[in-house]
Amino acid sequence: SQKIEQNSEALNIQEGKTATLTCNYTNYSPAYLQWYRQDPGRGPVFLLLIRENEKEKRKERLKVTFDTTLKQSLFHITASQPADSATYLCALEWGGGGNKLTFGTGTQLKVEL
Amino acid sequence: DAGITQSPRHKVTETGTPVTLRCHQTENHRYMYWYRQDPGHGLRLIHYSYGVKDTDKGEVSDGYSVSRSKTEDFLLTLESATSSQTSVYFCAISVGQGEHMGGYTFGSGTRLTVV
């Protein structure tokens, strides 16, 4: 079965710096990969989707890369702000139809002043 | 927001009792999902639906059943609740398909405690 690995340790960075989060996966070749943000006590919120034939996608201060050879996605937040502090989840298309997703456990990001 | 609501938001129940959680959407989306979220495990798919009366199992379906008699409602039932089913339950809808695939929109969650 597929396995998704995200760094379980919190990432602490200084305001204004670029945060980079990593998502590695094994045993599968997903057609697309998604990133979500989750705040405490809330449901995850969709941020970006990147397809297997896309190397990079951007949305405002967010950038996602997808390397299907390395089986890795990197999620970047540039000019980070304290409001970016949250847990970020990586999700892969499960396969077999139904738009099913399998999620990583997430990485907590803390942006400090 | 996408118009997805879960009820109840919080529930405490006793071991062995049946529990039903409700997910309601207002936008006529075809695909609906139930996930549970636990520390160290992340979000795990319980069941999903691809249309009225069309459902299938996910990764952790044992002890759960679902029903979808109308497009807008997707019910999750714990037939006989156990302490291991204490969790936060999220409902989600899938926005778009194929070339127009978007992400999931999640509900606010139901925090279920089985004592």
Side-chain angles (χ1 to χ4, degrees):
Chain A
S1 62
Q2 60 269 38
K3 183 178 179 182
I4 303 174
E5 293 180 348
Q6 293 187 258
N7 194 341
S8 59
E9 292 183 14
L11 176 64
N12 297 326
I13 66 166
Q14 197 173 17
E15 182 180 21
K17 302 293 186 183
T18 296
T20 299
L21 284 67
T22 304
C23 173
N24 295 299
Y25 60 93
T26 60
N27 299 333
Y28 192 57
S29 296
Y32 55 81
L33 182 149
Q34 302 183 11
W35 284 89
Y36 289 77
R37 169 185 173 140
Q38 187 173 23
D39 293 286
R42 308 288 295 273
V45 174
F46 171 70
L47 297 175
L48 281 167
L49 179 153
I50 186 166
R51 300 183 186 279
E52 61 179 336
N53 60 348
E54 298 175 315
K55 297 296 184 186
E56 179 180 301
K57 184 165 271 189
R58 294 174 184 261
K59 178 183 177 183
E60 298 174 351
R61 294 184 296 111
L62 308 180
K63 184 179 85 171
V64 171
T65 63
F66 192 11
D67 188 326
T68 55
T69 300
L70 291 178
K71 295 187 182 293
Q72 180 181 80
S73 175
L74 299 178
F75 177 81
H76 306 273
I77 305 176
T78 59
S80 59
Q81 306 165 359
D84 295 325
S85 299
T87 296
Y88 291 87
L89 308 174
C90 166
L92 303 182
E93 174 256 344
W94 191 326
N99 297 346
K100 302 187 298 293
L101 293 177
T102 185
F103 285 82
T105 53
T107 298
Q108 186 178 13
L109 173 67
K110 295 181 181 178
V111 181
E112 300 166 337
L113 293 171
Chain B
D1 232 348
I4 178 170
T5 56
Q6 292 184 233
S7 59
R9 290 297 311 278
H10 302 272
K11 187 170 181 65
V12 179
T13 192
E14 293 185 350
T15 299
T17 60
V19 177
T20 295
L21 309 183
R22 180 178 183 243
C23 179
H24 178 79
Q25 59 143 331
T26 59
E27 298 191 356
N28 206 35
H29 290 288
R30 177 183 175 190
Y31 294 103
M32 299 183 75
Y33 311 84
W34 277 107
Y35 283 82
R36 62 178 288 175
Q37 188 172 37
D38 305 286
H41 289 280
L43 286 156
R44 292 180 292 175
L45 181 65
I46 305 171
H47 282 279
Y48 71 103
S49 171
Y50 47 97
V52 173
K53 298 185 179 176
D54 291 325
T55 65
D56 206 349
K57 296 179 179 180
E59 179 186 3
V60 289
S61 59
D62 287 348
Y64 302 95
S65 62
V66 290
S67 66
R68 194 169 178 197
S69 58
K70 299 183 291 185
T71 298
E72 57 266 36
D73 290 325
F74 191 31
L75 305 180
L76 176 71
T77 297
L78 290 66
E79 301 291 347
S80 177
T82 67
S83 58
S84 65
Q85 293 176 312
T86 293
S87 186
V88 180
Y89 291 86
F90 286 103
C91 176
I93 56 176
S94 176
V95 179
Q97 299 179 51
E99 288 297 312
H100 305 287
M101 177 67 187
Y104 282 5
T105 297
F106 282 86
S108 298
T110 295
R111 183 172 295 275
L112 177 68
T113 303
V114 183
V115 297

